[in-house]
Each structure stands twice: as C-alpha cells, then as structure tokens.
Amino acid sequence: MAKSASIESARDHNPPVVELRVEAHPDQLAVLRAVAAAIALQHDFDLDTVADVKLAVDEAATRLIMGAPEDAILACSFRVALPLLHISLS
C-alpha cells in the first residue's frame, strides 16, 4: 500500500521559510527591515524583540552590502520555529 500525506501534515513538520532576494544596495535595507518586522509581528513577537530583529537584519545586511560587488544580490531567508526566528543573510 502506498503512503500518503496531506499538505497540512507536511507543513506541521517543516517550519515555513520566507526567502527574499534584493539588489545588494543600501536602498534595499528598508525592504529587509520591513519584511523582518512583518514576520516577527505576524508570529506575535513583542515590540522590543521586533525592534531587535530589525536592527540585527539592518546591521548584518549593511556589512554584506558594503563588501559586495556592484551587481551583487543579497539573499535573506526567515524561518520561524517558535519561540525562535532564524534569519540567514548571504
């Protein structure tokens, strides 16, 4: 007999991931901060934590942008596994 699984059961085991790719340019920092804040707020993180998340994303992205070649792309992923929010930038 074949195994079957519903979409809902697959979602239960793998936290959703939001991936965002932007031009590695300082103009894109506001977009990254806004997405980070929206995800944190959607998952009921308190306002102090949301501010910390925005600051961390801003600082990490700024460092990567300053060292990036002119036409580079900055990739950012967000994965919520409550009570944690995992953020990766490259």
Side-chain angles (χ1 to χ4, degrees):
M1 180 177 240
K3 281 184 124 179
S4 66
S6 69
I7 293 173
E8 289 77 22
S9 66
R11 287 184 189 153
D12 291 341
H13 299 294
N14 296 321
V17 175
V18 174
E19 294 182 342
L20 178 64
R21 296 179 188 278
V22 296
E23 181 181 345
H25 191 275
D27 291 346
Q28 300 301 316
L29 291 171
V31 173
L32 295 173
R33 287 192 306 267
V35 170
I39 291 169
L41 286 168
Q42 180 181 17
H43 289 89
D44 295 324
F45 286 89
D46 63 67
L47 293 178
D48 286 338
T49 302
V50 172
D52 290 345
V53 166
K54 288 172 56 178
L55 180 61
V57 166
D58 187 78
E59 289 179 354
T62 298
R63 287 180 180 257
L64 290 171
I65 289 168
M66 292 304 155
E70 187 173 317
D71 57 349
I73 299 296
L74 180 63
C76 187
S77 69
F78 302 87
R79 182 174 52 89
V80 177
L82 292 174
L84 302 174
L85 171 57
H86 300 271
I87 303 171
S88 173
L89 289 104
S90 60

